């Protein structure tokens, strides 16, 4: 039985496309936003693999400077900070608030599980107008091990005194889904544009086009 639904935040709940104008202004192309996010993830994951932990905010700054250099630009510290600070005020995807409200009518516990540092995570959900829907916000930074390492998912299980198999992660990233499944949790994959599940390893038993679609399936499969 599923008891806890853990939602990834960036891209799953919140829309990073609101940063596109900043990348257009500073680096000449909104398309570079995706490269920045991928570079940031790479830096974070390398830190985890080498034992030299890098928090998400630090990785975002470093990735932005790397991307600028790669494309022949130089960013000042203030310019980089202005972009990264906007991560705290991303809008929710349109269907998210309503989907969360519906899920709150069930007995399921809802938690946000993110690689963002705690202060950023709280600001993100508050500024997006969806913090009230969650029973808790857990940052992987608290255990200094970022998803997809097992510790963040297991931290959710411990925090709510449930077995990992009673936790379901909802995410729009295949690496996050793979991490949750490897940790013994269930998972639901959100196939936002450009997002596809990994053909390797375990497969999520819920796949939906957006959070509303996923929530519909959760309410059928995970509630009585």
């Amino acid at each position: 039985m599923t008891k806890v639904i853990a939602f990834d935040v960036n891209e799953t709940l919140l829309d990073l496309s609101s940063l596109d104008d900043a990348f257009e202004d500073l680096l000449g192309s909104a398309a570079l936003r995706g490269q920045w996010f991928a570079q940031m993830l790479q830096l974070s994951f390398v830190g985890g693999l080498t034992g030299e932990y890098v928090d998400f905010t630090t990785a975002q700054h470093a990735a932005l400077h790397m991307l600028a250099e790669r494309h022949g630009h130089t960013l000042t510290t203030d310019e980089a900070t202005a972009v990264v600070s906007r991560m705290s005020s991303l809008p929710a995807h349109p269907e998210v608030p309503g989907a969360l409200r519906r899920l709150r009518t069930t007995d399921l516990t809802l938690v946000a599980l993110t690689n963002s540092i705690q202060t950023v995570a709280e600001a993100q959900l508050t500024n997006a107008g969806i913090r009230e829907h969650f029973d808790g916000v857990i940052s992987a930074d608290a255990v200094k091990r970022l998803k997809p390492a097992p510790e963040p998912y297991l931290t959710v299980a411990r925090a709510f005194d449930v077995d990992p198999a009673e936790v379901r992660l909802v995410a729009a990233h295949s690496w996050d889904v793979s991490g949750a499944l490897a940790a013994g949790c269930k998972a639901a994959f959100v196939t936002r544009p450009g997002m596809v599940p990994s053909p390797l390893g375990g497969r999520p038993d819920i796949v939906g086009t957006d959070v509303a679609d996923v929530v519909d399936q959760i309410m059928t499969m995970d509630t009585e």
Side-chain angles (χ1 to χ4, degrees), residues 149-171:
E151 288 86 351
Y153 311 104
L154 299 180
T155 296
V156 171
R158 286 193 297 270
F160 294 97
D161 194 27
V162 299
D163 189 87
E166 297 174 312
V167 176
R168 180 185 295 280
L169 175 81
V170 177

Side-chain angles (χ1 to χ4, degrees), residues 17-32:
S17 69
S18 66
L19 301 177
D20 286 355
D21 61 335
F23 282 87
E24 184 73 42
D25 292 341
L26 287 177
L27 301 178
S29 174
L32 295 179

Side-chain angles (χ1 to χ4, degrees), residues 86 144 176-177:
R86 289 179 59 174
K144 298 296 185 283
D176 206 353
V177 166

Side-chain angles (χ1 to χ4, degrees), residues 72-90:
H73 298 276
T74 300
L75 294 184
T76 67
T77 299
D78 287 346
E79 287 173 331
T81 298
V83 175
V84 173
S85 66
R86 289 179 59 174
M87 287 291 291
S88 295
S89 56
L90 299 171

Side-chain angles (χ1 to χ4, degrees), residues 20-138:
D20 286 355
D21 61 335
F23 282 87
E24 184 73 42
D25 292 341
L26 287 177
L27 301 178
S29 174
L32 295 179
R33 189 251 305 168
Q35 293 185 32
W36 166 70
F37 197 77
Q39 181 69 69
M40 178 267 293
L41 291 175
Q42 183 186 83
L43 291 172
S44 298
F45 294 165
V46 167
L49 290 171
T50 60
E52 297 181 356
Y53 176 74
V54 178
D55 70 70
F56 235 36
T57 298
T58 298
Q60 288 163 10
H61 279 272
L64 195 53
H65 286 289
M66 288 177 67
L67 186 64
E69 183 176 353
R70 186 178 301 141
H71 291 275
H73 298 276
T74 300
L75 294 184
T76 67
T77 299
D78 287 346
E79 287 173 331
T81 298
V83 175
V84 173
S85 66
R86 289 179 59 174
M87 287 291 291
S88 295
S89 56
L90 299 171
H93 286 287
E95 84 285 359
V96 166
L100 293 177
R101 279 194 296 271
R102 285 192 293 115
L103 203 54
R104 288 298 286 176
T105 65
T106 72
D107 293 331
L108 294 166
T109 296
L110 306 189
V111 60
L113 176 63
T114 179
N115 280 344
S116 296
I117 63 175
Q118 190 73 34
T119 54
V120 170
E122 290 283 0
Q124 286 183 306
L125 297 172
T126 298
N127 291 334
I130 57 175
R131 176 62 180 88
E132 64 182 344
H133 301 303
F134 295 98
D135 297 291
V137 178
I138 294 178

